[in-house]
Amino acid sequence: MTAELIVFTNGPEETRQLGERLGEVLKPGDLVTLMGDLGAGKTTFTQGVGAGLGVQTYLRSPTFTLVNEYRLDNGASLLHVDGYRLGETMHEAMLEADTFGMAEMLDDAQTIVIIEWADRVQEMLTDDRLEVRIASGPDEAQRCFTFSATGPRSRTALRALHDKTQENPEISPA
Amino acid sequence: MRILAIETSCDETAAAVIENGRRILSNVVATQIELHERFGGVFPEVASRQHVLAIRPVIEQALEQAGISAMGALDALAVTNGPGLAGSLLVGVNTAKGISFTSGLPLLAVNHLEGHIYSNWLAEGTAAQPITGEPLDPDRFPILVLIVSGGHTELALMTGHSRYQQLGSTLDDAAGEAFDKVARLLELGYPGGPAIQRAAGQGDPTRYALPRPLLHNRDHRFNFSFSGLKTAALNLTRGLTEGDEPITEQMKADVAAAFQAAAVEVLVEKTADAAQAFSAQQVCICGGVSANAALRQAAATRMAQLDLPLHVPPPFLCTDNAAMIGAAAYYRSRAFPHSEAELDLDVFANLPLVELQAAA
């Protein structure tokens, strides 16, 4: 059964904070997928996730490198993958993802993987993942985040995120 | 000193032969389009597999054009080992290792970003690819460098050959990536840089106002941010298309012009600011976005005001190529003798510019 959490944010700073809360609860081996249009706030949200995980630098866009790796203090690593520039069809996208070893990354228990434009490589993804869908509106600056957990591991992360957001009055579940 | 250079960090398979760091004897770049033609149109869209197929003919062509019939006529090999796509980088590095092993030529590892910087040192082109304009003074430092491409936006100070101090970089998207994404949202086509430039040429850059991210931000004086500018362009475009009327070509041109003006102003002003702050003797702009005419024009005007010599490579050296890798390798081998790579040379997808100096 899929568990869901819906959170609204008003503006980039709240989006970043929501990402930071998620970063704080992620564990090595977790997979997070991000879906949302250009300008939805994927970059801002992911920068927050990096901060929450204790990454000291800004997370730069992996659009051209396809994958950026960050070492975390606990010995684990964060892999930031971008499906935007992968092949036109899902088959081609998956072939390309294969060339930088995405399958191995997803199997690595010491690695947290966060994938933007994940719909391009859907079939390659681990069954148990935290899916994040970002939608705009109704106001220009407002965003609706839908978090869906598809297995036991991601449900643990989702529950922890739910508790975190309840502590934080700015970003509370709808 | 003649160097055979190989570059496969992204989508281009390239090889070149460079003499003494400044003279291009040959410069071969196989883009995806050329490969499609050569292999009859059926070609998998897999960057590293393209490189595997293209690398041998490209190297052979570079040697032939340079009039090199035996490896003994060369002095060294150079190859890009990062940053870039790991799978793509591996093809070049493994090929270079193989040639080094069989020929006994020393192997020099080059950072792709350092290659872009040294594209400005190439002074003599070939008949097909001439280099004109005032050459840069090869030994006059410090030099302020702006590297601006699809994957990078970096400000660095060069204090000597192969010596860099990173001053700032983008905090999110690279400038070229923003050009691509704005071109996509305006449905102007790919690649985004030339498409935006074309549309902007028909547009009024003052009709719409877009932000200049971090332009006067003291905490991020030499850093850039283009993700927010891209989003602002997106919101502007959406606002224009909310009614029943479709967006007109003129509106698209005006948005493209406004976006280009904003991106160019931030790039040029931060470069000028850094050049003054660090008393640079020369300024270099390089990378794919440096082919943009508006950037070249604005930078030329601004640096002339500051009485600073500005160097931007000819367009064929702005995009990825191996000539620049050969130039960088030459100066690197002079600055750091005995820095040859071993046969266990690895690739680094996120290799930063500054790590070079620390490692040397």
Side-chain angles (χ1 to χ4, degrees), chain A residues 95-125:
Chain A
L95 278 177
E96 283 196 1
D98 202 35
T99 64
F100 65 83
M102 196 162 97
E104 290 82 352
M105 291 174 188
L106 293 170
D107 283 344
D108 189 340
Q110 280 306 302
T111 300
I112 296 170
V113 181
I114 180 158
I115 308 182
E116 299 189 35
W117 301 94
D119 42 332
R120 309 295 290 277
V121 286
Q122 192 90 31
E123 285 175 20
M124 277 182 97
L125 301 178

Side-chain angles (χ1 to χ4, degrees), chain B residues 30 39 54 74 87 118 160 218 227 239 251 269-270 340 347 349 353:
Chain B
F39 293 97
L74 294 167
Y118 274 95
R218 293 197 154 271
S227 180
M251 283 175 179
E269 286 310 315
K270 286 188 179 259
E340 289 90 6
V347 301
L353 187 58

Side-chain angles (χ1 to χ4, degrees), chain B residues 7 10 72 78 123 125 141 146 185 204 238 263 289:
Chain B
E7 148 72 40
C10 196
F141 297 100
L146 171 69
L185 73 90
D204 173 3
R238 278 192 185 144
V289 179

Side-chain angles (χ1 to χ4, degrees), chain B residues 18-166:
Chain B
I18 302 302
E19 191 169 73
N20 296 332
R22 302 206 79 184
R23 183 172 175 222
I24 301 175
L25 299 182
S26 66
N27 177 44
V28 180
V29 181
T31 66
Q32 209 170 306
I33 300 158
E34 283 178 31
L35 290 174
H36 272 296
E37 287 167 0
R38 192 177 313 158
F39 293 97
V42 187
F43 205 76
E45 298 235 354
V46 182
S48 59
R49 285 167 209 208
Q50 290 173 13
H51 289 306
V52 168
L53 288 176
I55 189 106
R56 269 187 65 119
V58 164
I59 290 173
E60 280 164 12
Q61 210 178 325
L63 290 172
E64 189 192 318
Q65 285 179 13
I68 307 269
S69 51
M71 288 295 172
L74 294 167
D75 299 288
L77 296 166
V79 67
T80 310
N81 76 322
L85 307 175
S88 299
L89 288 163
L90 266 174
V91 178
V93 165
N94 286 342
T95 304
K97 281 186 200 173
I99 298 173
S100 175
F101 182 72
T102 52
S103 67
L105 288 169
L107 178 61
L108 303 162
V110 175
N111 181 305
H112 180 75
L113 297 174
E114 187 174 30
H116 273 301
I117 292 172
Y118 274 95
S119 61
N120 278 296
W121 268 254
L122 293 161
E124 198 181 328
T126 59
Q129 296 178 324
I131 297 173
T132 55
E134 187 69 23
L136 127 166
D137 184 333
D139 303 305
R140 190 170 168 217
F141 297 100
I143 300 176
L144 196 284
V145 182
L146 171 69
I147 308 168
V148 60
S149 69
H152 299 277
T153 310
E154 322 269 336
L155 270 179
L157 188 71
M158 228 179 142
T159 52
H161 283 296
S162 301
R163 294 180 186 276
Y164 310 94
Q165 186 185 336
Q166 177 114 30

Side-chain angles (χ1 to χ4, degrees), chain A residues 61-69 79-87 93 96-100 102 105 114-116, chain B residues 10-11 47 84-88 349-350:
Chain A
S61 165
T63 292
F64 272 76
T65 50
L66 304 182
V67 57
N68 288 340
E69 183 173 5
L79 284 167
H80 183 195
V81 183
D82 192 336
Y84 183 82
R85 212 168 64 98
L86 296 176
E96 283 196 1
D98 202 35
T99 64
F100 65 83
M102 196 162 97
M105 291 174 188
I114 180 158
I115 308 182
E116 299 189 35
Chain B
C10 196
D11 291 339
L85 307 175
S88 299
N350 300 315

Side-chain angles (χ1 to χ4, degrees), chain B residues 270-340:
Chain B
K270 286 188 179 259
T271 303
D273 184 25
Q276 289 175 285
F278 292 93
S279 305
Q281 297 298 302
Q282 307 186 82
V283 175
C284 286
I285 304 184
C286 56
V289 179
S290 64
N292 179 276
L295 175 62
R296 296 168 87 98
Q297 184 58 51
T301 305
R302 188 77 180 93
M303 298 313 152
Q305 284 171 359
L306 300 174
D307 209 17
L308 272 170
L310 169 72
H311 301 282
V312 191
F316 78 91
L317 291 175
C318 291
T319 45
D320 289 353
N321 63 83
M324 65 187 196
I325 302 301
Y330 170 77
Y331 284 100
R332 184 160 191 76
S333 71
R334 287 209 324 180
F336 301 103
H338 314 297
S339 59
E340 289 90 6

